[in-house]
Amino acid sequence: MITLNMIKLNGNQIIGNSEQPGNEAVIKSTNPLTGQQLDPGYKGANKAQVNEACLLAKNAFDTYRNTSLKIRAEFLEEIANEIENLGDQLTKKFIEESGLPEGRAKGETGRTVGQLRMFANHIKNGFATNATIDTALLDRKPSARTDHRLTNIPLGPIVVFGASNFPLAFSVAGGDTASALAAGCPVIVKGHSAHLGTSELVGKAIISAIKKCGMPNGTFSLLFGSGSIVGQELVSNKEIKGIGFTGSRKGGLAILKTAQSRKEPIPVYAEMSSINPVFLLPSAFENIQSIVDGFINSLTMGAGQFCTNPGLLVFIENNESQKLIKSLSDVIVKTNTQTMLTENIYNSYCAGLSRLEKNKKIKLLAKSNSSTEPNQCQAALFETTGKNFLSNTDLAEEVFGASSLIVKCETEYEMEEIAKSIEGQLTGSLHLNKDQDEKLAKRIISQLELKVGRIIFNQFPTGVEVCNAMVHGGVYPATSDSRSTSVGSTAINRFLRPICYQNFPQTYLRDEIKDHNPNNITQLLNGEYKSST
């Protein structure tokens, strides 16, 4: 698609429906392929601008939260249309700021608009309202029951932090923003400094949709600047009622600390770190080549810059395991480097590799080709024993990039102990081919159920399908709240809360819990699911 009207990037804050220049330090995105800083520069927002955006969101909330499900769904669909209308301009800016290929840019665009349309469909159908009605039982003995009706209502203005590794799908109009807007919450996005232009383009697309759909001023704002000023000011502002974050454990915990120390603590849904263990059961070794191909593809995809990258490969040593290790190592050394998203991510990855290489409990098996180009990720494979892994907790630390640690166990018991010992993860995978491993598989699954949000059978974890059944969450430190997901239609539940209306006349009830069900949604009526059709 070719953009007919190119959008000028001004480097301004988007505060409600207006643009304002910031007056804090200038930041610029950098092309990770060349190291070149990109224009325009973006002056960071100041405290007054943060407060203005929060007040606008507060003022917009009452109007926006009371829009009908149909109108809100049409608004989400219009945002998707406006993002698609950005066409080649968005694709080119995405590539320039991320160093990622065109296919990834278009794939992320498709995922971003797909999420918006999924949530539009979800709220049109009324699924998120959880409309529940228990009618009066005035003749019930020994005591009567009055009429009770439950629905979900939005929390209030939400702050979303754009992620570094997904310039579109987890950023300005990504899953957190889409689910919060679908819930009826105004959103303020703190744009990531690695993709400022991409963020501004998408922010302007959202503002265009707001104007076309007649949404209130303050439904959306986009701020740029430092985490210490903009980020912390947003989290501590009394008008903000919830946070969506994807990033490092350090960053997530800093936000969580601020949110919990407020006079009114607010929920933080932070996705932070995960090593996504893969367990190969004995029968899996019958398909070594399939394991090699799938694992290497999962490990090196996008230079390993996915939160579901397989950072741990666990198996019991047997006659075939050395063949697997050799095959994996042979592929790794022939693998070309890939550009990492930012210099900071690259430096952090190199520091992680250095830490592993210096650890005497670990052996470096293979490393991919080196390169003189900037920010190049060398895939790496390490190995250790089950005993070493269980006695050294630092071996389970995430290295964000295309690096993985093989853990060779001596017994089934040792493998189970590793499954028990790992921290909370986004995913856990297991591979097997025969029923002979059924008992062990069930024991491993039983442990993974207590740690992860998604268990994967005979597949690898990289890649997160946007669908109703997806759970992209997990036990701490994978996320700050294991009851939630950041992908899939149930992500909307993070930004809703239940409320009960007791003994209300029909006139004063919200549409979703009225007797005549004007939205024709599914209601749980006296314990049975009903609709008006």
Side-chain angles (χ1 to χ4, degrees):
M1 179 187 294
I2 299 175
T3 309
L4 297 177
N5 298 307
M6 298 289 285
I7 294 174
K8 182 181 179 182
L9 297 179
N10 298 318
N12 290 330
Q13 315 295 322
I14 298 176
I15 301 177
N17 294 350
S18 66
E19 293 188 38
Q20 298 180 21
N23 58 13
E24 297 291 335
V26 175
I27 53 176
K28 288 187 175 185
S29 297
T30 300
N31 185 327
L33 281 168
T34 64
Q36 175 191 2
Q37 286 197 318
L38 304 172
D39 290 324
Y42 290 72
K43 289 185 177 181
N46 58 35
K47 293 182 180 181
Q49 289 173 319
V50 171
N51 191 56
E52 182 181 354
C54 293
L55 286 173
L56 278 173
K58 174 201 172 185
N59 294 335
F61 178 51
D62 270 346
T63 300
Y64 183 62
R65 77 182 183 92
N66 286 308
T67 54
S68 70
L69 299 177
K70 179 177 180 294
I71 288 174
R72 207 182 306 154
E74 289 172 351
F75 170 48
L76 294 175
E77 289 165 349
E78 188 57 37
I79 295 175
N81 294 338
E82 290 291 328
I83 292 172
E84 287 181 328
N85 289 340
L86 294 171
D88 289 346
Q89 184 179 11
L90 179 62
T91 300
K92 290 176 181 177
K93 180 54 67 174
F94 179 105
I95 294 169
E96 185 180 43
E97 291 185 328
S98 69
L100 294 168
E102 181 178 349
R104 169 69 183 272
K106 292 186 174 179
E108 258 200 65
T109 302
R111 174 173 169 172
T112 303
V113 299
Q115 289 175 151
L116 287 158
R117 289 171 177 146
M118 177 191 69
F119 281 111
N121 183 66
H122 189 68
I123 59 175
K124 272 192 295 189
N125 291 327
F127 296 135
T129 66
N130 194 26
T132 305
I133 301 171
D134 289 311
T135 55
L137 297 175
L138 299 180
D139 296 329
R140 189 181 68 174
K141 303 298 181 182
S143 60
R145 181 180 80 188
T146 56
D147 189 275
H148 293 71
R149 301 180 184 229
L150 175 149
T151 188
N152 289 331
I153 62 172
L155 294 180
I158 301 298
V159 166
V160 171
F161 286 79
S164 63
N165 60 332
F166 281 89
L168 291 173
F170 275 88
S171 291
V172 176
D176 288 346
T177 299
S179 55
L181 290 175
C185 301
V187 173
I188 302 171
V189 174
K190 196 278 185 186
H192 198 281
S193 299
H195 36 82
L196 299 166
T198 303
S199 296
E200 185 180 350
L201 286 173
V202 176
K204 288 183 172 179
I206 296 175
I207 294 300
S208 179
I210 285 172
K211 292 177 179 178
K212 286 183 178 180
C213 295
M215 295 295 118
N217 183 20
T219 300
F220 174 82
S221 293
L222 171 62
L223 303 178
F224 302 103
S226 71
S228 59
I229 296 177
V230 177
Q232 288 295 318
E233 284 294 319
L234 282 169
V235 177
S236 59
N237 191 286
K238 66 184 178 65
E239 310 300 348
I240 301 305
K241 304 302 179 184
I243 308 292
F245 172 85
T246 299
S248 68
R249 189 186 305 194
K250 179 181 178 182
L253 291 179
I255 290 169
L256 190 63
K257 181 179 180 181
T258 300
Q260 291 179 340
S261 63
R262 293 170 31 137
K263 183 177 181 180
E264 177 201 4
I266 56 174
V268 174
Y269 298 102
E271 181 198 318
M272 295 180 288
S273 64
S274 185
I275 57 173
N276 308 294
V278 177
F279 292 87
L280 301 183
L281 276 58
S283 62
F285 285 87
E286 294 181 4
N287 294 325
I288 286 181
Q289 192 57 52
S290 176
I291 296 294
V292 171
D293 293 343
F295 180 79
I296 294 294
N297 180 63
S298 185
L299 176 68
T300 60
M301 186 184 298
Q305 298 168 113
F306 292 94
C307 41
T308 52
N309 185 257
L312 202 66
L313 185 63
V314 185
F315 54 76
I316 301 167
E317 282 197 276
N318 57 40
N319 293 333
E320 300 296 315
S321 58
Q322 279 306 120
K323 293 181 183 179
L324 174 65
I325 291 173
K326 184 178 186 307
S327 296
L328 289 170
S329 300
D330 288 346
V331 176
I332 289 288
V333 296
K334 297 176 183 177
T335 301
N336 293 325
T337 62
Q338 297 180 65
T339 305
M340 303 197 84
L341 287 156
T342 69
E343 185 178 3
N344 284 342
I345 291 175
Y346 168 74
N347 288 337
S348 178
Y349 178 68
C350 291
L353 292 189
S354 178
R355 171 173 55 81
L356 293 176
E357 289 175 15
K358 291 176 182 178
N359 193 313
K360 295 180 180 179
K361 302 290 186 180
I362 292 176
K363 176 183 177 182
L364 174 64
L365 292 173
K367 209 172 187 180
S368 67
N369 300 320
S370 61
S371 173
T372 57
E373 298 298 317
N375 306 314
Q376 294 300 297
C377 172
Q378 289 181 270
L381 189 65
F382 300 85
E383 75 169 17
T384 191
T385 65
K387 289 179 180 178
N388 285 338
F389 186 84
L390 289 168
S391 61
N392 293 268
T393 56
D394 58 328
L395 300 188
E397 292 180 14
E398 180 186 36
V399 177
F400 190 68
S403 168
S404 192
L405 175 64
I406 288 175
V407 180
K408 302 184 297 184
C409 301
E410 294 181 359
T411 63
E412 290 184 4
Y413 173 79
E414 200 167 76
M415 177 181 274
E416 289 180 65
E417 287 301 301
I418 288 171
K420 289 179 183 179
S421 72
I422 57 173
E423 295 181 308
Q425 307 292 331
L426 293 170
T427 73
S429 308
L430 71 162
H431 290 250
L432 66 153
N433 286 323
K434 288 184 177 178
D435 290 341
Q436 71 192 49
D437 288 328
E438 180 180 346
K439 291 182 179 180
L440 176 59
K442 287 182 176 179
R443 296 199 299 272
I444 297 295
I445 291 169
S446 181
Q447 294 303 320
L448 292 178
E449 286 173 337
L450 303 177
K451 299 291 181 69
V452 311
R454 178 164 53 112
I455 305 175
I456 301 158
F457 196 91
N458 281 352
Q459 291 181 339
F460 290 92
T462 309
V464 180
E465 182 67 33
V466 179
C467 63
N468 293 312
M470 176 53 64
V471 174
H472 191 59
V475 175
Y476 178 88
T479 65
S480 57
D481 190 328
S482 63
R483 299 166 296 178
S484 66
T485 175
S486 61
V487 180
S489 58
T490 55
I492 195 173
N493 296 333
R494 297 172 297 167
F495 307 120
L496 295 167
R497 68 174 179 87
I499 185 168
C500 176
Y501 299 85
Q502 181 175 330
N503 199 37
F504 263 59
Q506 292 288 308
T507 304
Y508 300 100
L509 287 170
R510 299 179 68 85
D511 283 350
E512 58 264 29
I513 47 176
K514 288 180 177 177
D515 285 343
H516 68 287
N517 194 3
N519 294 325
N520 189 26
I521 64 172
T522 300
Q523 297 172 327
L524 182 61
L525 176 61
N526 294 324
E528 295 185 11
Y529 285 104
K530 305 277 188 181
S531 68
S532 64
T533 55

